[in-house]
Amino acid sequence: KKEHHTDQYNSDQLIIRRGQTFQIELDLSRPFNPNTDKLHLEMKTGELANTMGMTHIIIPLVDELQDESWEAKIVEQNVNRVKLSVNSPVTAVIGKYKLTITTQCLKTGETTTHDHDKDIYMLFNPWCEDDTVYMEGEKELKEYVLNDTGRIYYGTEKQIGARTWNFGQFDEGILEACLFVLDNSEVPPSGRGDPVNVVRVISAMINSPDDLGVLEGNWSGNYAGGTSPTAWSGSVEILRQYHREGGKPVKYGQCWVFSGVTTTVLRCLGIPTRSVTNFQSAHDTDVSLTTDVYFDENMEPIHHLNSDSVWNFHVWNDCWMARPDMPPGMGGWQAVDSTPQETSHGTFRCGPASLAAIRSGQVYLKFDTPFVFAEVNSDKIYWQRNLDGTFGQIHSEKKAVGHCISTKAVGSDERVDITHLYKYPEGSEEERIAVETACRYGSKPDVYSSPIAEDVRVEVMMEGEGPRMGGDAQLKIVVKNTSSQPRRTTLHSQVAVMYYTGVLKDTVKKDTLNVELNPQEGARLPYTQYQNQLVDQAALMLTLSGRVSETQQVLANQTSFRLRTPDLNIEPMGEAYVGKEMSAKITFTNPLPCTLRNVVIRVEGLGLRDLHPIRVGDVSKHANVTVTEHFIPTIAGKRKLVASLDCRQLTQVHGVADIDVHESQ
């Protein structure tokens, strides 16, 4: 297992990686004589194993092992014991195999078969140069295949939040659960040698709308009958429950949960994977490859047409593989999205889409490249309805979408910005060419024909890290006149509470500002106006629109901001040893001027303790809470204890503590 990098799996089964030799020892009833005895192995995976689909393999004995095929060689013989070295090809189907050994005596023709009672698990091999998932660099492999914890980013681009996630791909029963997910799909085992295919299947099977996959999505704010998406802090319990209940979707997930579970499953199967967050993430519903905002004749938004949305943030995955099915240069990181947004060939799935293709606007390359391109690099086009019912383009924002694309750094808990892998620098000639190339393949190919002169700019500034939950939001609207003439405009502003998906819930404040262009006006929002309206992600959207009197130039801007939530503080008490009980103190202060009802703190840590909910009950306004959690560490090394708070009025409150567990004394 050490040689195959599978020693971390909490299982006593043989777990091996394809394209690499492994050893089997056989105890025979008498010494084996190669001149008078024959011996071969058979391995089968799936219900209907057959030799054509590479799911029923007959492994012959050979004198010398050649690469690239199934074969076995005797490397040691000691009386009745024979040691075999077995080779598998780098294209082998991954999954669970049954092993049968057949011996035959040439003199008597007698044949004996022995069915081995334990299964053999075959995984992808990113350490093997000829495997399509091969990744160079030990540090990268340690992070993207072997790290069982990570960080997932959320919030808004100016206020990026991070939460620790327990991937737990080596935990007991997780490999079984991941293969159960594959078995539940309609893809036969013969298709499981190709990582492109496996990733596409997993992307469909992590969500549940059309195939009873792992997680049921819920963005309604009502999570009765399930777990609130913000309350999860790991994938282990989700996958165990799905497996235990025979494939019943687990309630509930949102994008970071879908992504966290996808990272677990793909790392578990041996595909290098990371969770990635895109801020200001567009959702293009009509394949125009632009994000369209429609206004009527009076500059009021036309809600039923505004189906394209920009999510504050959206979390998906990158996984690493060669793409022999594509033109050269398209291998490497591939975007995969398991959140059910749009169907791809009739199923809710997305990817793998090559980052190289997304970056250059080659949206005709498979799979689902146009959708991911629009998420990270579509232009936001504002349209106004004319009196005859047609629409004219009045404004475009070229940098509105796809900011601060983030993932956890290799080897540390730092955030690393990978926007440059998804697109050229904003405004560069290469980036404009990519956008215009992509749009030529969209449903509105003529968008880029009418530039308009613009000499007034409007932007929204936020002080420092932005407002905290329970405090006022201080925003400054800055209007700049870059021409040499005076300018006058009337700015319409509205503030709405928003789900992180970009869907607006309620408008809480409307204003009209007459601006004689000596700008620098500020708008202040007292907390009381929207405390009852806040939803899971505590986000607000400020929309500005107006027209400059002198030039008829249209001003338009949308800015989202979130109210930052407090942390759970976790303080480990004393030294940690395997098998010895220890405790941790968890403290929290309610930031709100109201009582939190039915508060539950959920605690878990890989190698420390399984998921454990602590019922705290009601917490009065601005009150402090302290709970002590007792547990017994089971695995030595650096571990993370993660806690998250779950209650109706306050979500996205979590904390993490690093605990160094020593071997037992």
Side-chain angles (χ1 to χ4, degrees), residues 389-403:
T390 61
F391 282 88
Q393 182 184 335
I394 52 172
H395 178 60
S396 69
E397 283 183 77
K398 302 205 170 20
K399 301 178 186 175
V401 161
H403 301 165

Side-chain angles (χ1 to χ4, degrees), residues 617-630:
D618 294 353
V619 178
S620 53
K621 64 179 184 182
H622 301 309
N624 294 319
V625 173
T626 301
V627 293
T628 304
E629 176 71 342
H630 298 274

